[in-house]
Amino acid sequence: MSALRSALDELSTEVLERSASDVLEADLVEIRRALDALESEFLRRVTEVERRRSFERHGYLSATSFLVDRCGLSGAAASERVRMSRALRHMPVARQALAEAELSYGQIRYLAQARDAQPDAFADHEATMVEAVAPLSLADTRRLIDHWCQAVLPDESTARMEAMTADRRLFVSRTFAGMIRLDGWFDPIDGDTILTALAAATAEKDKARDDASPAQRRADGLAEICRQWLANGAPAMGGERPHIDVIVDLDTLEKRAGKRCETSRVGVIDPESARMLACDAGVARIITSGPSEPLDVGRRTRTIPSAIRRALVVRDGGCRFPGCDRPSHWCEGHHIQHWAEGGETKLDNLVLICRRHHRMVHHRGLEIDVNGAAVEIRAGP
């Protein structure tokens, strides 16, 4: 261990600014290989500590809890190391390849999963599989192992698919900060369908030279897929198309101190989000006595009729926000002067902008002026 520490001390004293680029790149590769070899030694010692159960003399109930407390690993990472150490006891060829840095730790993880799935077949094919995956990327390693699992016991493929389908799930929760969190598991077919739809949706975002991260683009894409389905493909429920219900006081829409501003499913939202949604929405008037007792419910009206929407599409083509080229089917009609403030629903008071810029206009208090082909954005009062 002293030699290892000495080597690390030597590395830490190097002045990297003076190193040539090819030397730095070669160092990265070599250090990564050394880390994989160190991971092998770490797992060897986990195996021995667990065999001796030496952690018990310190009061720990398991090797996992020892690794969490003494090595600073997360519970998931510690559990994985223990599982890997147990698997490698029965994977001599793979264990040697990791020690010699011929395989990465990630590749070993996939091989261990293959062994867990088919232990007898893996024992027969281990040497061949280690040789086959050695030159592959991590993604190709996983693909090869998936093919191997299917080839070894083809009769189990249908059963595996049925098991994955039965294990599908989607959790939806609301965070304390008001965000909506999704966490789901899907079988390969539904998963591929979702990935294909997201790829198509995020491709539109990429065309706009968006500076959002891939995760943000996927979030925007999923929301847009849902919006378009609700607008164009959703079946009627209770006699009308599914929609977002926003309950908001007139005072809030008119930028006075309002008392209520929320959606029926999520709850409280900020006033500008309500004003943004109200730019192009069906509106039903409800007169109440006090805060909650309805006295009169007015007829629902469409703020931007379909004919005017079509005219907007013809006139604007897509998002009119400067520098944005999102197409019209990604866009919403925005009232330049909000209808709650007396603005009329007619072409010269409307402009087509995409959802992201629509949100920006409302939440940043921006104002839009349209003069033919010219669009001017300025800060509000």
Side-chain angles (χ1 to χ4, degrees):
M1 286 299 175
S2 60
L4 177 61
R5 293 192 186 95
S6 296
L8 290 174
D9 289 341
E10 183 180 348
L11 284 175
S12 67
T13 60
E14 290 186 9
V15 182
L16 299 183
E17 291 79 4
R18 299 176 184 172
S19 298
S21 296
D22 56 344
V23 172
L24 284 174
E25 293 159 5
D27 284 352
L28 286 177
V29 174
E30 193 60 34
I31 290 172
R32 184 65 257 174
R33 288 168 60 88
L35 287 172
D36 286 329
L38 283 172
E39 191 74 64
S40 172
E41 291 303 316
F42 185 85
L43 294 176
R44 276 210 314 140
R45 284 156 177 79
V46 170
T47 299
E48 188 62 17
V49 165
E50 191 175 38
R51 186 188 69 80
R52 298 182 185 184
R53 301 190 68 82
S54 58
F55 51 81
E56 291 180 344
R57 63 195 180 97
H58 303 291
Y60 297 105
L61 299 180
S62 66
T64 299
S65 58
F66 176 87
L67 294 178
V68 169
D69 188 48
R70 292 294 187 91
C71 299
L73 297 179
S74 68
S79 296
E80 179 187 285
R81 274 10 180 239
V82 172
R83 288 196 304 271
M84 288 288 291
S85 71
R86 292 171 181 170
L88 286 174
R89 298 175 197 173
H90 310 285
M91 300 168 60
V93 181
R95 183 174 65 242
Q96 184 66 26
L98 178 63
E100 297 175 358
E102 295 175 358
L103 294 182
S104 70
Y105 178 75
Q107 290 174 308
I108 292 292
R109 285 178 61 198
Y110 287 139
L111 287 170
Q113 291 172 7
R115 183 198 171 276
D116 289 343
Q118 308 292 345
D120 294 336
F122 184 87
D124 294 335
H125 299 162
E126 181 184 2
T128 302
M129 291 183 69
V130 167
E131 182 180 359
V133 304
L136 301 181
S137 67
L138 204 55
D140 287 339
T141 296
R142 180 172 185 172
R143 190 174 296 110
L144 183 147
I145 290 174
D146 286 343
H147 282 297
W148 176 83
C149 289
Q150 188 171 26
V152 169
L153 289 175
D155 294 340
E156 290 190 3
S157 296
T158 301
R160 288 179 64 234
M161 176 61 77
E162 290 176 351
M164 286 188 286
T165 301
D167 202 34
R168 71 193 184 280
R169 67 198 73 170
L170 179 64
F171 301 101
V172 183
S173 58
R174 186 171 186 262
T175 70
F176 184 77
M179 297 285 282
I180 301 300
R181 178 185 174 91
L182 303 180
D183 183 19
W185 298 78
F186 302 89
D187 67 46
I189 302 302
D190 285 349
D192 196 84
T193 301
I194 293 168
L195 292 176
T196 301
L198 284 175
T202 54
E204 294 287 1
K205 296 284 183 184
D206 291 337
K207 291 178 182 177
R209 299 179 298 279
D210 203 339
D211 60 354
S213 69
Q216 289 172 322
R217 286 198 295 270
R218 286 193 295 272
D220 292 344
L222 178 60
E224 189 61 37
I225 289 167
C226 293
R227 271 193 292 272
Q228 297 221 21
W229 183 77
L230 288 173
N232 303 306
M237 297 174 61
E240 60 181 344
R241 297 278 287 278
H243 56 276
I244 299 173
D245 280 323
V246 182
I247 303 98
V248 58
D249 286 351
L250 181 60
D251 287 346
T252 300
L253 287 179
E254 294 179 345
K255 289 192 173 181
R256 299 196 300 271
K259 297 180 180 178
R260 193 174 187 187
C261 185
E262 60 189 50
T263 68
S264 59
R265 289 182 174 84
V266 172
V268 176
I269 61 174
D270 66 287
E272 277 306 323
S273 291
R275 287 171 59 84
M276 179 189 75
L277 292 170
C279 270
D280 187 4
V283 179
R285 183 191 74 248
I286 301 177
I287 300 174
T288 64
S289 173
S292 60
E293 182 184 352
L295 295 179
D296 175 68
V297 178
R299 179 172 56 87
R300 182 179 295 273
T301 60
R302 180 71 178 175
T303 304
I304 300 181
S306 57
I308 295 182
R309 163 78 189 189
R310 288 194 296 270
L312 263 179
V313 170
V314 171
R315 188 195 71 184
D316 293 346
C319 180
R320 293 292 301 279
F321 203 93
C324 184
D325 60 0
R326 287 182 174 88
S328 59
H329 60 273
W330 284 80
C331 297
E332 302 166 340
H334 168 71
H335 281 75
I336 297 171
Q337 180 185 8
H338 203 284
W339 55 262
E341 299 167 350
E344 298 183 64
T345 303
K346 58 182 183 180
L347 275 176
D348 58 7
N349 189 47
L350 295 169
V351 63
L352 209 60
I353 51 179
C354 69
R355 168 53 68 103
R356 186 173 183 187
H357 285 128
H358 200 181
R359 185 184 299 118
M360 185 184 299
V361 166
H362 279 275
H363 287 83
R364 297 187 184 178
L366 303 180
E367 293 186 351
I368 298 181
D369 282 337
V370 180
N371 184 12
V375 175
E376 179 185 351
I377 308 294
R378 65 178 187 276

